[in-house]
Amino acid sequence: MSKRLTVKIGLIQMSMVENQATNLKKAVAFVSQACKNGANIICLPEMYKSLYFCQKEEHYFFKFAESVTGETYQTFSLIAKKYKAIIIVPIFEKRTDGIYHNSLIVIDEKGNLAGLYRKMHIPDDPLYYEKFYFTPGDLGYKSFATKYGNIGTLICWDQWYPEAARLTALKGAKILFYPTAIGWHPSEKEEYGDVQRNSWMIIQKGHAIANSVYVAVVNRVGFEKVDNNSDGIIFWGSSFLCDPQGRVIVQASEKDEEILIAEVDFSYIDTVRTHWPFFRDRRIDSYEEITKRFID
Amino acid sequence: MSKRLTVKIGLIQMSMVENQATNLKKAVAFVSQACKNGANIICLPEMYKSLYFCQKEEHYFFKFAESVTGETYQTFSLIAKKYKAIIIVPIFEKRTDGIYHNSLIVIDEKGNLAGLYRKMHIPDDPLYYEKFYFTPGDLGYKSFATKYGNIGTLICWDQWYPEAARLTALKGAKILFYPTAIGWHPSEKEEYGDVQRNSWMIIQKGHAIANSVYVAVVNRVGFEKVDNNSDGIIFWGSSFLCDPQGRVIVQASEKDEEILIAEVDFSYIDTVRTHWPFFRDRRIDSYEEITKRFID
């Protein structure tokens, strides 16, 4: 048996309002509380500082963007240092004039900027007009070495792509974090709500199983309407943490703000990969065409 | 709305005995019954004609192998033609002296040999000593055009690899068939049985979701002990068919032989892929390293 390598994960499921200072203040309070409750690695939801403005294509919203070392980093760097915690914080990144990314930063327990990930897969669907705002990431998939072990980070739409999970795991990540903003169109909720959320859970549990890693998903919660000509989005919460066999360790409700805290044991990955040796048998000589759009 | 393209799928969950003629006779009876019940595409479990002999490394068992156009093809060709059905039949393939594969053939409604797939991912674990018997497949991933649409075929251990499902779907398959032989070690069943079978279901539903395809899994059932020095395997049945959103359409029990028959609608894939456009957004410029064993 490997020596246990236990780490406490903190997931912040929160709702947002129009006033960004209010969101920032709340995020700081929740992250601080998670730290006080013993969390070693904490993750906030995608675009934690604003409403999900991608419901509308509006140039004004580009003003919300900040640099990698902007207000978000300055604020959470102090929290990370104070509590000696690793914090994963999504940011709406302004890289330069006309180039914006849907990103996240990893801040280490000394308050240093330890990593940057830029969302690779960008959606564009009714009320999720992200291709208008975000240039697709150009940093590839990331696993960051931390004092608690290697952690992988992806963002929302990435969660539907087995390739993204695989490449992050192949880089050594023992846990995949997915800050997220996903919800229901009110008119679809009754008929399709359950199947949509179930699909979202199944595919991410599938990534845990395929790669023998932990998976942590952090969604926002609450109803938001940015465009008066639309019905808005009911964000479905349901943030969860699952183990390398896809077992849910802890899950939040679909309506309430919650600070989820749960322990993982990174040494368990060694056990699972020895008993389910998927990595041993990958046919890497046969995967080349996965870089094709369609094989026709 | 696309015009409905409904097809009846027949999945044969059966148990096997030592006498191969008995297994063949039963498989013929079950497939014929499925045809009479209206099935258009029928699939048998992995290595349908014998006990799961890979529980033991024994040279004698190589005698069970047959050529692609051997007894299995000769027998089911007649059934396929008689009932105008597509039949997917696993075979233990002898390709030449010293080269054996864990394969399957696709027989079309005229009785012709329409396809051959050789299992790409070969396991080797206690009581699943397949690397001793089977040379890994060298035909790659397959989607076969049939009169009912394109069908993809993979075999058992392939089911743990998102790459295999993805490449098969990229070749046009609208449904993935997984003939399978998976079960519990008796000593593990009580403690780990549920989580093992759940992982197996989740990852395959995940393939359906990631690729917006139907998935059909056909397992054997019953207790088999080939090596008197072992405890044998309790094959867990639970064959199932799920839709492109991972919803189970029909599932067999874990203990009984069953002929599952259910309708799928291939036009639904178009609907799902339009509403969940995962294929549109794949970052094919970023997947190249998936051909690496590990990125270290």
Side-chain angles (χ1 to χ4, degrees), chain B residues 96-111:
Chain B
T96 188
D97 295 348
I99 302 183
Y100 297 82
H101 295 287
N102 186 331
S103 304
L104 64 77
I105 55 174
V106 178
I107 303 171
D108 73 17
E109 76 285 357
K110 294 175 183 162

Side-chain angles (χ1 to χ4, degrees), chain A residues 84-104:
Chain A
K84 297 184 174 52
I86 310 289
I87 307 179
I88 299 165
V89 202
I91 60 166
F92 177 20
E93 179 193 356
K94 179 168 183 171
R95 186 170 172 183
T96 188
D97 295 348
I99 302 183
Y100 297 81
H101 294 288
N102 186 332
S103 305
L104 63 77

Side-chain angles (χ1 to χ4, degrees), chain A residues 144-202:
Chain A
F144 302 107
T146 76
K147 67 177 287 196
Y148 299 109
N150 292 335
I151 63 172
T153 55
L154 293 157
I155 300 176
C156 205
W157 195 236
D158 291 326
Q159 62 209 177
W160 301 98
Y161 295 86
E163 295 91 341
R166 176 71 94 206
L167 285 160
T168 304
L170 288 180
K171 291 193 170 184
K174 295 182 184 305
I175 182 169
L176 308 181
F177 286 92
Y178 287 97
T180 294
I182 192 168
W184 295 295
H185 296 295
S187 66
E188 292 184 356
K189 187 180 176 210
E190 191 177 335
E191 188 172 356
Y192 302 111
D194 281 347
V195 66
Q196 290 173 351
R197 188 177 50 179
N198 285 343
S199 293
W200 172 82
M201 284 197 65
I202 290 166

Side-chain angles (χ1 to χ4, degrees), chain A residues 120-121 124 131 137 141 157 161 163 166 170 199 245 278 281-283 286-287 290 292-293 295, chain B residues 120-121 131 137 141 157 161 163 166 170 199 245 278 281-283 286-287 290 292-293 295:
Chain A
M120 292 290 284
H121 299 88
D124 194 295
K131 288 194 200 294
Y141 306 96
W157 195 236
Y161 295 86
E163 295 91 341
R166 176 71 94 206
L170 288 180
S199 293
Q245 295 185 284
F278 305 139
D281 292 336
R282 290 179 68 239
R283 286 294 304 274
S286 72
Y287 299 154
I290 219 157
K292 293 196 174 177
R293 180 68 63 209
I295 306 170
Chain B
M120 291 290 284
H121 299 87
K131 288 194 199 296
Y141 307 97
W157 193 237
Y161 296 86
E163 295 92 342
R166 176 70 96 206
L170 288 181
S199 294
Q245 296 186 282
F278 306 138
D281 293 335
R282 291 178 67 238
R283 288 293 306 275
S286 72
Y287 299 154
I290 220 157
K292 292 195 174 178
R293 181 66 64 206
I295 305 170

